[in-house]
Amino acid sequence: DHLINQIAAGEVVERPASVLKEVLENAMDAGSTAVEVQLEQGGVRRIRVADDGCGIPKDELPLALERHATSKIASLDDLEHVGTMGFRGEALAAIAAVSRMSITSRFDGAPHAWRIDADPRELSPAALNHGTVVDVADLYFNTPARRKFLKSEGTEFAHCDDVFRRLALARPDVALQLSHNGRVSLRLPSGRREARVRSLLGDDFLNAARLVEADAGPLRLTGYASLPAYSRSSRDAQFFYVNGRFVRDKLLTHAIREAYADILHGSRHPAYVLFLELDPYGVDVNVHPAKIEVRFRDSRAVHQFVYHALKRTLAASGA
Ligand code: ADP
Ligand code: MG
C-alpha cells in the first residue's frame, strides 16, 4: 500500500507547483476569505498555506490524509488507468506520501485547534485562531529519484507563481498573499475581477483590453481580450477558464487565434483573461487533475461560440 501510495503520488505530485495547486484549491473550497502562501526554496523546502476557512473537525483530520475508501487505485494493475481516472479525494494522501506534512486546523466553533502529522500519524492539540494551515516540508525527501527531476529553485518558484496567479485570477473574492524565502512577492486584496486583473496583468493590459461579454444558450463568455497595442510576451498573459478552472486547450486556443487573425491581421500575440461558463454536463471532468486539459461534449459548438464572441468584441472595438 505504501508503494502504491508513492507511485500514485509521483503521478499527481509532479513538482512543488502541483502541491501548491491542490492545497490552494482546498483552501479556496473551504470558503476562505483570505489565504496566505509561504514558500521556501522554490517550494521544495516548504509550502505552507494558511486559510481562514471552515476548518476540519478533529475526527476528520485523519481521514483527510487517507486515500478515499472507494479509491480507484486498489492495485498496481489499476495504476495504468490513473491517467484518465484522476485522483479526486487523494491529493493530500499523495502529498503526504512524498513529504513531511502536517495539517493544523480549527473547525468552526471548536474550543481549540488540532494538528495532525502524517508520519508518524499523530494527533495533538494546537493553537490556531481559525481555519487551516497545511505545511508541506522537504518534498521528495524519501523519493530521491523524483527529487532529481526538480529544476533550479528559481524555475520551481516560477511554476508555483504561475499556479498562484492562475488561481488568483479566478478568485478575486479571496484576499491572497504569496511570499518566497520570507519576502512578500504578491499581495492581493479581495475585490472585483477588474481590480484583480489590474493587479496581476497591469494597467497596460487593461488599457489595451476590451470587455468580453457574450451569451448563447447555456454558454457564457466573459473577461478581457487585448488589442495589439498590448505587447507583453504573450505566454504569461493568456488565461482561459472553464467553469472557474484554468485550462490550456488546443481547441480553445485555436478559436481565439482565428478570431484575432480575422480582425487584427498579423496580431500574433493575443493577451486575454477569459471565463467560459457552461453546463457541467457539457464538460468532461474525468481528466487528470494535475493536468490542465478539458474535453467538451460538443466541441464544435464551443469552438464556434468562442470564435464568434471574441470576433464580435474585437470588431466592435474599432480596431
Ligand atoms: P479533495 O479535495 O478532492 O476532496 P484532498 O485530498 O485534496 O481531496 O482533501 C481531502 C479533504 O480534506 C477535503 O475533501 C476536505 O474535506 C479536507 N480539506 C483539505 N484541505 C482543507 C482546508 N484547507 N480546509 C478545510 N478542509 C480541507
Ligand atoms: Mg483537493
Side-chain angles (χ1 to χ4, degrees):
D1 194 53
H2 199 63
L3 173 67
I4 293 168
N5 258 343
Q6 284 200 351
I7 296 172
E11 291 282 323
V12 74
V13 189
E14 237 178 304
R15 61 185 343 145
S18 359
V19 173
L20 180 60
K21 177 172 181 284
E22 296 294 338
V23 176
L24 201 46
E25 280 176 354
N26 285 345
M28 305 278 203
D29 289 347
S32 307
T33 66
V35 180
E36 198 181 317
V37 176
Q38 291 177 298
L39 304 175
E40 288 173 34
Q41 298 176 15
V44 180
R45 171 71 189 97
R46 166 159 280 119
I47 295 169
R48 186 181 182 275
V49 177
D51 69 52
D52 64 351
C54 59
I56 307 171
K58 181 196 175 194
D59 293 354
E60 285 175 28
L61 273 174
L63 300 178
L65 295 180
E66 303 286 338
R67 288 188 291 122
H68 277 182
T70 56
S71 171
K72 298 153 201 148
I73 308 155
S75 72
L76 281 170
D77 286 344
D78 289 345
L79 276 169
E80 62 187 88
H81 302 300
V82 154
T84 52
M85 295 177 87
F87 276 93
R88 295 299 76 188
E90 305 183 340
L92 291 182
I95 295 164
V98 292
S99 69
R100 301 185 215 275
M101 181 160 104
S102 76
I103 304 175
T104 307
S105 193
R106 182 167 180 176
F107 188 56
D108 277 348
H112 63 82
W114 289 89
R115 170 192 164 119
I116 189 163
D117 287 278
D119 190 22
R121 197 65 54 100
E122 209 170 84
L123 259 178
S124 49
L128 186 71
N129 280 335
H130 53 215
T132 301
V133 177
V134 176
D135 191 80
V136 179
D138 302 326
L139 190 59
Y140 305 135
F141 80 96
N142 55 355
T143 47
R146 265 278 148 195
R147 208 183 167 95
K148 268 193 285 196
F149 285 104
L150 289 170
K151 301 284 192 288
S152 71
E153 175 174 333
T155 300
E156 295 303 339
F157 173 70
H159 284 286
C160 289
D161 189 59
D162 278 347
V163 160
F164 184 89
R165 286 166 188 269
R166 286 169 187 175
L167 287 168
L169 276 170
R171 294 299 303 272
D173 56 315
V174 179
L176 289 163
Q177 181 170 303
L178 174 66
S179 56
H180 188 213
N181 296 334
R183 230 191 97 252
V184 175
S185 65
L186 269 173
R187 189 177 277 134
L188 305 167
S190 64
R192 298 169 61 82
R193 181 188 284 171
E194 181 180 337
R196 183 59 59 92
V197 169
R198 191 180 298 281
S199 301
L200 288 167
L201 291 174
D203 290 331
D204 290 357
F205 172 75
L206 269 184
N207 293 341
R210 290 296 172 268
L211 192 64
V212 180
E213 262 192 75
D215 283 283
L219 301 171
R220 178 169 169 75
L221 188 70
T222 58
Y224 299 90
S226 78
L227 295 167
Y230 181 77
S231 60
R232 179 162 148 182
S233 92
S234 65
R235 208 187 129 80
D236 48 60
Q238 297 183 332
F239 297 89
F240 201 102
Y241 297 82
V242 175
N243 290 346
R245 182 164 165 264
F246 178 87
V247 300
R248 191 164 275 146
D249 177 79
K250 280 203 184 74
L251 175 95
L252 295 168
T253 307
H254 180 266
I256 294 166
R257 218 188 294 117
E258 291 287 290
Y260 267 92
D262 282 7
I263 301 297
L264 308 162
H265 310 282
S267 170
R268 275 162 298 137
H269 298 297
Y272 51 84
V273 183
L274 294 169
F275 299 86
L276 176 67
E277 238 75 52
L278 73 164
D279 186 336
Y281 183 74
V283 204
D284 187 358
V285 292
N286 253 352
V287 290
H288 198 298
K291 300 273 155 58
I292 47 181
E293 300 151 2
V294 69
R295 252 174 251 124
F296 298 104
R297 277 179 212 279
D298 190 349
S299 56
R300 216 184 107 81
V302 170
H303 182 280
Q304 287 299 299
F305 170 66
V306 170
Y307 166 73
H308 285 294
L310 209 51
K311 191 169 160 175
R312 251 194 332 273
T313 304
L314 295 170
S317 69

